[in-house]
Amino acid sequence: RGCARAGSAPPTLVQPHRIASMAPTSEPTPPLPFEAHRWTALSRCGAGLGGRKGQSLPGWALFSEPFDVGETVRVERRSNAQSFQAEVIGPPCEPGSNEREDLQPIRLLDGTGAVVHAEPRKMARVLPAIVPRVLLMADTTSFRRMAKTQVGGGDAVLEIGSAFGDCTCVLALHAVAAVGVDLSEEFVIESRRLHPECRFEWLDIFEEPDRLHALWAELCSKGRLKIFIDA
């Protein structure tokens, strides 16, 4: 389910294919799309601590502590609107300091520059954009967690397969711009009713490449493009 990708040029679209038989074949295996990107399946990353309760999460080690000074993290709170991005500015506090030893100093990236202390187990690493990636998620929970933790104020996001718009609504809370598109006109109509503050478009990305390219260019002009695909 889904992937998040940063890029500036629209892709050449290829219709998805199905494997008709498990029998051996002499035909070469088609290459993965986005060959320049690093592919990661989250279920294979190992368990790590995360979420607003700091519990053990399957596949979360890539985003979990320890955090180095200078890394960007998102601190997860009770609601999506309350979570925030910050820069790690020091190691976890040691015994005998003025702060609890399980807290780590961070600087808020909200324009105030305020310094606070947070529990590393409730923080998630924001993967640096210098390494283009495709992230594969096995379930809706992981997909929503990516939307909550890996998108910030400098990002513009396109969600393909937005269904009833719940994930697009999460993305819009953190991104400078977010658009959800879906093949189903009924889904788009319902999404606009449920989330009037968000933008949804009825679009078949394979049949209407010109509209996709225009939307791609629009989002690239607003921020660093990331794409979420709910397949």
Side-chain angles (χ1 to χ4, degrees), residues 98-157:
N98 293 330
E99 299 289 343
R100 282 171 27 197
E101 61 182 276
D102 60 340
L103 299 182
Q104 190 161 6
I106 55 177
R107 179 179 290 110
L108 304 187
L109 298 178
D110 60 355
T112 67
V115 174
V116 298
H117 291 75
E119 295 179 74
R121 67 192 183 96
K122 295 184 179 180
M123 290 154 48
R125 176 177 290 105
V126 178
L127 300 179
I130 57 174
V131 180
R133 294 176 181 268
V134 175
L135 304 176
L136 305 179
M137 290 139 275
D139 54 55
T140 299
T141 300
S142 298
F143 190 72
R144 298 276 176 85
R145 194 172 295 279
M146 289 296 101
K148 183 177 180 179
T149 64
Q150 299 302 304
V151 172
D155 298 322
V157 186

Side-chain angles (χ1 to χ4, degrees), residues 46-62:
L49 298 178
R52 62 183 178 86
K53 296 181 180 179
Q55 71 271 37
S56 179
L57 300 173
W60 202 244
L62 180 63

Side-chain angles (χ1 to χ4, degrees), residues 4 12 26 42 67 76 100 131 135 137 163 173 187 191 196 213:
T12 300
S26 59
L42 296 187
F67 302 108
E76 297 196 63
R100 282 171 27 197
V131 180
L135 304 176
M137 290 139 275
L173 286 172
F187 281 173
S191 296
H213 291 180

Side-chain angles (χ1 to χ4, degrees), residues 1-3 42 60 74 76 80 83 137-151 159 161-171 173-174 195 228-230:
R1 173 187 294 270
C3 66
L42 296 187
W60 202 244
R74 180 168 288 279
E76 297 196 63
N80 291 324
S83 68
M137 290 139 275
D139 54 55
T140 299
T141 300
S142 298
F143 190 72
R144 298 276 176 85
R145 194 172 295 279
M146 289 296 101
K148 183 177 180 179
T149 64
Q150 299 302 304
V151 172
E159 185 188 13
S162 53
F164 293 113
D166 294 334
C167 188
T168 304
C169 189
V170 174
L171 293 166
L173 286 172
H174 305 303
H195 309 287
F228 282 69
I229 303 174
D230 193 349

Side-chain angles (χ1 to χ4, degrees), residues 28-39:
T29 302
L32 289 173
F34 312 125
E35 291 182 331
H37 290 62
R38 182 180 299 175
W39 286 69

